[in-house]
Coordinates of all heavy atoms in Angstrom, one line a residue:
I1 N 0.8 -1.2 0.0 CA 0.0 0.0 0.0 C 0.9 1.3 0.0 O 0.5 2.3 -0.6 CB -1.0 0.0 1.2 CG1 -2.1 1.1 1.0 CG2 -0.3 0.2 2.5 CD1 -2.9 0.9 -0.2
K2 N 2.0 1.2 0.7 CA 2.9 2.3 0.6 C 3.6 2.5 -0.7 O 3.7 3.6 -1.2 CB 4.0 2.2 1.7 CG 3.5 2.4 3.1 CD 4.6 2.2 4.1 CE 4.1 2.3 5.6 NZ 5.2 2.1 6.6
I3 N 3.9 1.3 -1.4 CA 4.5 1.4 -2.7 C 3.6 2.0 -3.7 O 3.9 2.9 -4.4 CB 4.9 0.0 -3.1 CG1 6.1 -0.5 -2.3 CG2 5.3 0.0 -4.6 CD1 6.5 -2.0 -2.6
V4 N 2.3 1.6 -3.7 CA 1.4 2.1 -4.7 C 1.0 3.5 -4.4 O 0.8 4.3 -5.3 CB 0.1 1.2 -4.8 CG1 0.4 -0.2 -5.4 CG2 -0.6 1.1 -3.5
T5 N 1.0 3.9 -3.1 CA 0.7 5.3 -2.7 C 1.8 6.2 -3.2 O 1.5 7.3 -3.8 CB 0.5 5.4 -1.2 OG1 -0.6 4.5 -0.8 CG2 0.1 6.8 -0.8
L6 N 3.0 5.8 -3.0 CA 4.1 6.6 -3.4 C 4.2 6.7 -4.9 O 4.4 7.8 -5.5 CB 5.4 6.1 -2.9 CG 5.7 6.3 -1.4 CD1 6.9 5.5 -0.9 CD2 5.8 7.8 -1.1
A7 N 4.0 5.5 -5.6 CA 3.9 5.5 -7.1 C 2.8 6.4 -7.6 O 2.9 7.0 -8.7 CB 3.8 4.1 -7.6
T8 N 1.7 6.4 -6.9 CA 0.6 7.2 -7.3 C 0.9 8.7 -7.2 O 0.4 9.5 -8.0 CB -0.7 6.9 -6.4 OG1 -1.0 5.5 -6.5 CG2 -1.9 7.7 -6.9
V9 N 1.7 9.1 -6.3 CA 2.1 10.5 -6.2 C 3.1 10.8 -7.3 O 3.1 11.9 -7.9 CB 2.7 10.8 -4.8 CG1 3.3 12.2 -4.7 CG2 1.7 10.6 -3.7
V10 N 4.1 9.9 -7.5 CA 5.1 10.1 -8.5 C 4.6 10.2 -9.9 O 5.0 11.0 -10.8 CB 6.2 9.0 -8.4 CG1 7.2 9.1 -9.5 CG2 6.9 9.1 -7.1
T11 N 3.6 9.3 -10.2 CA 3.1 9.2 -11.6 C 2.6 10.5 -12.2 O 3.0 10.9 -13.3 CB 2.0 8.1 -11.7 OG1 2.6 6.9 -11.3 CG2 1.5 8.0 -13.1
P12 N 1.7 11.2 -11.5 CA 1.2 12.5 -12.1 C 2.3 13.5 -12.2 O 2.3 14.3 -13.2 CB 0.1 12.9 -11.1 CG -0.3 11.7 -10.4 CD 0.9 10.9 -10.3
V13 N 3.2 13.5 -11.3 CA 4.4 14.5 -11.3 C 5.2 14.2 -12.6 O 5.6 15.1 -13.3 CB 5.2 14.4 -10.1 CG1 6.4 15.4 -10.2 CG2 4.4 14.8 -8.9
L14 N 5.5 12.9 -12.8 CA 6.3 12.5 -13.9 C 5.6 12.8 -15.2 O 6.2 13.2 -16.2 CB 6.7 11.0 -13.8 CG 7.6 10.4 -14.9 CD1 8.9 11.2 -14.9 CD2 7.9 9.0 -14.7
L15 N 4.3 12.5 -15.2 CA 3.5 12.7 -16.4 C 3.5 14.2 -16.7 O 3.5 14.7 -17.9 CB 2.1 12.2 -16.3 CG 1.9 10.7 -16.5 CD1 0.5 10.3 -16.1 CD2 2.2 10.3 -17.9
L16 N 3.4 15.0 -15.7 CA 3.4 16.5 -15.8 C 4.7 17.0 -16.5 O 4.7 17.7 -17.4 CB 3.2 17.2 -14.5 CG 2.9 18.7 -14.5 CD1 1.6 19.0 -15.2 CD2 2.9 19.2 -13.0
V17 N 5.8 16.4 -16.0 CA 7.1 16.8 -16.6 C 7.2 16.3 -18.0 O 7.6 17.1 -18.9 CB 8.3 16.2 -15.8 CG1 9.6 16.4 -16.4 CG2 8.3 16.8 -14.4
I18 N 6.8 15.1 -18.3 CA 6.8 14.6 -19.7 C 5.9 15.4 -20.6 O 6.3 15.7 -21.7 CB 6.5 13.1 -19.7 CG1 7.5 12.3 -19.0 CG2 6.3 12.6 -21.1 CD1 7.2 10.8 -18.8
T19 N 4.8 15.7 -20.1 CA 3.8 16.5 -21.0 C 4.4 17.8 -21.3 O 4.2 18.3 -22.5 CB 2.5 16.6 -20.3 OG1 2.0 15.3 -19.9 CG2 1.4 17.2 -21.2
I20 N 5.0 18.5 -20.4 CA 5.6 19.8 -20.6 C 6.7 19.7 -21.7 O 6.8 20.5 -22.6 CB 6.1 20.4 -19.3 CG1 4.9 20.8 -18.4 CG2 6.9 21.7 -19.6 CD1 5.4 21.3 -17.1
G21 N 7.5 18.6 -21.5 CA 8.6 18.3 -22.5 C 8.0 18.1 -23.9 O 8.6 18.6 -24.9
L22 N 6.9 17.3 -24.0 CA 6.3 17.1 -25.3 C 5.7 18.4 -25.9 O 5.7 18.5 -27.1 CB 5.2 16.0 -25.1 CG 5.7 14.6 -24.8 CD1 4.5 13.7 -24.6 CD2 6.5 14.1 -25.9
L23 N 5.2 19.2 -25.1 CA 4.7 20.5 -25.6 C 5.8 21.3 -26.2 O 5.6 22.0 -27.3 CB 4.0 21.3 -24.5 CG 2.6 20.9 -24.0 CD1 2.1 21.7 -22.8 CD2 1.6 21.1 -25.2
R24 N 7.0 21.3 -25.6 CA 8.1 22.0 -26.2 C 8.6 21.4 -27.5 O 9.1 22.0 -28.3 CB 9.3 22.0 -25.2 CG 9.0 22.8 -23.9 CD 10.2 22.8 -23.0 NE 9.9 23.7 -21.8 CZ 10.8 23.9 -20.8 NH1 12.0 23.2 -20.9 NH2 10.5 24.7 -19.8
K25 N 8.3 20.1 -27.6 CA 8.6 19.4 -28.9 C 7.6 19.6 -29.9 O 7.8 19.1 -31.1 CB 8.8 17.9 -28.6 CG 10.0 17.5 -27.8 CD 10.0 16.0 -27.5 CE 11.2 15.6 -26.7 NZ 12.4 15.5 -27.5
G26 N 6.5 20.2 -29.6 CA 5.4 20.5 -30.6 C 4.4 19.5 -30.7 O 3.7 19.4 -31.7
V27 N 4.3 18.6 -29.7 CA 3.2 17.5 -29.8 C 1.9 18.2 -29.3 O 1.7 18.5 -28.1 CB 3.6 16.3 -28.9 CG1 2.5 15.3 -28.9 CG2 4.9 15.8 -29.3

């Protein structure tokens, strides 16, 4: 439960960073 909770916090943050990077790439 701690693993999935921590992963649940990390996932949106990582997706946020990736999405910003894709926007800069013109996606």
Side-chain angles (χ1 to χ4, degrees):
I1 193 65
K2 289 180 181 179
I3 291 175
V4 294
T5 302
L6 287 172
T8 301
V9 175
V10 172
T11 300
V13 176
L14 184 58
L15 281 173
L16 190 62
V17 173
I18 291 175
T19 306
I20 294 175
L22 291 177
L23 283 175
R24 293 181 177 179
K25 291 175 177 287
V27 180

